[in-house]
């Protein structure tokens, strides 16, 4: 079987996964994990991108000879490089507060125009607003190219400059209908056109890994769905089109897969996003705050046993308190237990009095957020949804999976946990000719090689309606 290395960078860690594909087989093994620890310097939160690159190289050495390498990561954040190819400072973290004034840029450019062109959900950390916050900086003035995180890693590995389109589509500077950079919008935003490189599509060859990367073998880098959610959606083991997906990790990306964007006024007001997917599809979705709320609580508690907390939370009364998981108050790092307690009290609910009660509050609240997004995605797109596929790290969380099924009133199929790496590997394997066909064929292979766990909806839908009503 051919072997392919998937570099998957997440908000808290990175990993290199080797996938072997051939003749009805799809085997994955993680060969290296490394931390992704942001660093605050001078009041600004940065990514330690050089540390990430070192971890990637260690992982590729551990991977052994592979046919190709694909890189995926989170969206919107970028590095600026100058005419000589040097990085102009560590990339700024999307959770940094520098974009707090984003609404002024949105109003100046016109929110209706922004949505009609880019189809993107208004989020304060979109690349457009990060660049507006950087206006007038020496780095921006000196920059020759803007490279999103996977493109920056690909450049360091190969020396080739480019922008993969699924991640470019998250910048709010990409024309979702024309499938290219939104040149008029870029000009009106006061940004130089030189920053935005030529676009690539998943499956395109980027180039051979440079000798100075120090790998003990030769290989090449291939473009994949470099936005991690784009790769994760490829790895959704759906049979047909009547499904919603939840790619659940630090964020929950909740939506449906479409052939074209939904750019209606109702969609804009619902703050749904149209992002590019593999094979020209549209990922019509909402960003939901996801397991970030739980992760930040665990960080605050330090010594917590997550499995024990989830077991105890399952025994807590349902809907003791719920919060709006999408409220911007939860976006930045900090004392999450205290913020959740304050939001409960602000909305006239009792604050959770124990850690299990707080975890149950988070799980109920995330299930409500999943419900809201799944139902809205179906209604706004006209897509009939009969099953919800929950992939990513959240597929390990049986309580959240069951509550999501209960809240949506739909069966949930959980897995694969490694959907992002699966999608990354499959796009590489198809580019190499090891597998053939469209997304349906790739997903059939995932179904045949991965065990899924099914959760049937239970309970009273009226209770979920009542809980949702507390959030307005």
């Amino acid at each position: 079987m051919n072997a392919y290395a998937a570099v998957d960078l997440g908000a808290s860690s990175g990993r290199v996964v080797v996938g072997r594909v051939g003749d009805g087989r799809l085997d994955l093994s993680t060969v290296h994990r490394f931390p992704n620890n942001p660093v605050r310097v001078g009041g600004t939160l940065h990514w330690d991108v050089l540390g990430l690159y070192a971890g990637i190289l260690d992982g590729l050495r551990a991977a052994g000879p592979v046919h190709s390498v694909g890189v995926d990561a989170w969206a919107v954040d970028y590095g600026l490089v100058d005419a000589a190819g040097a990085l102009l400072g560590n990339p700024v973290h999307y959770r940094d507060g520098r974009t707090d004034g984003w609404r002024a840029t949105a109003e100046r450019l016109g929110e209706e125009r922004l949505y009609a062109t880019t189809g993107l959900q208004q989020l304060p950390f979109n690349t457009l607003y990060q660049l507006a916050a950087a206006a007038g900086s020496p780095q921006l003035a000196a920059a020759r190219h803007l490279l999103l995180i996977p493109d920056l890693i690909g450049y360091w590995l190969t020396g080739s400059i480019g922008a993969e389109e699924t991640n470019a589509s998250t910048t709010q500077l990409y024309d979702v209908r024309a499938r290219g950079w939104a040149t008029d919008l870029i000009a009106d935003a006061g940004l130089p056109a030189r920053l935005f490189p030529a676009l690539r599509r998943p499956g395109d060859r980027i180039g051979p890994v440079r000798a100075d990367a120090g790998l003990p073998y030769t290989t090449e880098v291939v473009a994949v769905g470099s936005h991690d959610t784009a790769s994760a959606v490829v790895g959704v083991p759906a049979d047909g089109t009547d499904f919603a997906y939840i790619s659940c990790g630090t964020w929950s990306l909740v939506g449906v897969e479409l052939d074209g964007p939904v750019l209606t006024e109702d969609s804009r007001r619902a703050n749904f996003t149209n992002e590019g997917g593999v094979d020209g599809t549209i990922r019509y979705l909402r960003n939901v705050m996801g397991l970030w709320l739980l992760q930040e609580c665990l960080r605050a508690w330090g010594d917590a046993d997550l499995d024990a907390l989830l077991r105890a939370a399952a025994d807590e009364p349902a809907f003791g308190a719920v919060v709006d998981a999408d409220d911007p108050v939860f976006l930045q790092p900090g004392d999450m237990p205290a913020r959740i307690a304050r939001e409960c009290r602000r909305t006239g609910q009792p604050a959770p009095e124990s850690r299990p009660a707080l975890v149950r509050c988070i799980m109920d609240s995330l299930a409500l957020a999943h419900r809201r997004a799944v139902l809205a995605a179906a209604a706004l797109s006209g897509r009939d949804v009969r099953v919800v596929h929950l992939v990513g790290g959240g597929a390990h969380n049986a309580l959240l999976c069951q509550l999501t099924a209960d809240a949506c009133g739909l069966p949930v199929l959980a897995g694969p946990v490694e959907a992002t790496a699966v999608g990354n590997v499959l796009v590489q394997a198809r580019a190499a000719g090891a597998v053939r066909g469209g997304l349906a064929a790739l997903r059939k292979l995932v179904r045949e090689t991965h065990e899924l766990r099914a959760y049937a909806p239970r309970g009273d839908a009226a209770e979920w309606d009542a809980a949702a009503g507390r959030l307005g």
Side-chain angles (χ1 to χ4, degrees), residues 13-358:
S13 66
R15 61 194 176 143
V16 176
V17 177
V18 173
R20 292 177 171 81
V21 182
D23 193 23
R25 294 185 64 187
L26 172 59
D27 301 327
L28 272 70
S29 59
T30 300
V31 297
H32 186 54
R33 291 185 182 273
F34 46 96
N36 183 4
N37 295 319
V39 181
R40 190 173 295 278
V41 180
T44 300
L45 191 63
H46 294 273
W47 296 107
D48 179 11
V49 71
L50 295 177
L52 293 177
Y53 186 61
I56 290 167
L57 292 179
D58 287 343
L60 293 178
R61 293 185 191 103
V66 292
H67 183 82
S68 62
V69 177
V71 183
D72 68 72
W74 64 93
V76 305
D77 290 337
Y78 58 86
L80 297 171
V81 298
D82 65 14
L87 180 65
L88 295 166
N90 273 355
V92 177
H93 196 297
Y94 63 83
R95 292 192 192 275
D96 184 74
R98 67 172 177 163
T99 59
D100 288 349
W102 68 276
R103 289 196 180 277
T105 301
E107 291 171 1
R108 178 171 65 83
L109 294 172
E111 294 194 33
E112 292 83 357
R113 175 200 180 186
L114 285 169
Y115 198 78
T117 302
T118 70
L120 274 204
Q121 179 179 359
Q122 288 283 24
L123 292 168
F125 47 70
N126 287 346
T127 312
L128 168 62
Y129 303 129
Q130 294 199 41
L131 288 168
S137 68
Q139 288 185 359
L140 193 58
R144 180 68 177 271
H145 298 293
L146 177 149
L147 297 178
L148 297 169
I149 298 300
D151 300 322
L152 178 63
I153 299 300
Y155 167 61
W156 282 342
L157 286 171
T158 66
S160 178
I161 295 273
E164 190 279 315
E165 68 175 7
T166 69
N167 222 346
S169 74
T170 71
T171 61
Q172 212 166 19
L173 294 161
Y174 175 93
D175 189 320
V176 70
R177 288 174 294 188
R179 293 183 65 185
W181 292 117
T183 52
D184 290 345
L185 181 58
I186 286 169
D188 290 347
L191 299 170
R194 70 174 186 273
L195 290 178
F196 302 94
L199 290 165
R200 302 173 174 133
R201 293 183 177 176
D204 287 353
R205 180 177 182 271
I206 295 176
V209 173
R210 299 159 49 126
D212 61 12
L215 298 188
Y217 56 89
T218 59
T219 189
E220 67 174 6
V221 179
V222 171
V224 296
S226 71
H227 183 199
D228 50 13
T229 308
S231 279
V233 173
V234 173
V236 168
D239 185 5
T241 61
D242 56 352
F243 69 94
Y245 56 82
I246 302 174
S247 180
C248 183
T250 298
W251 289 90
S252 283
L253 293 307
V254 187
V256 295
E257 184 177 71
L258 303 175
D259 295 327
V262 179
L263 301 174
T264 62
E265 179 62 10
D266 285 344
S267 181
R268 183 185 75 83
R269 290 184 178 278
N271 215 18
F272 263 75
T273 205
N274 295 268
E275 296 174 353
V278 171
D279 289 358
T281 56
I282 292 293
R283 293 175 287 124
Y284 184 63
L285 58 87
R286 271 200 60 134
N287 285 48
V288 173
M289 200 72 75
L291 290 169
W292 166 251
L293 280 74
L294 179 59
Q295 291 164 353
E296 279 293 277
C297 286
L298 294 174
R299 189 168 70 86
W301 293 331
D303 59 349
D305 181 332
L306 176 57
D307 290 338
L309 278 173
L310 288 171
R311 288 193 299 271
D315 293 331
E316 289 287 324
F319 313 124
V322 291
V323 296
D324 181 357
D326 290 333
D327 194 309
V329 73
F330 301 127
L331 179 62
Q332 295 187 11
D335 188 344
M336 190 64 72
R339 275 183 282 171
I340 291 172
R342 282 196 299 270
E343 282 303 296
C344 291
R345 289 191 290 266
R346 187 186 65 80
T347 54
Q349 303 174 88
E353 295 183 353
S354 67
R355 289 182 180 182
L358 183 54

Side-chain angles (χ1 to χ4, degrees), residues 1-2 4 21-24 426 428-436 445:
M1 292 189 293
N2 291 324
Y4 310 88
V21 182
D23 193 23
L426 285 175
Q428 293 183 66
R430 188 174 64 173
V435 292
R436 300 183 185 279
L445 181 58

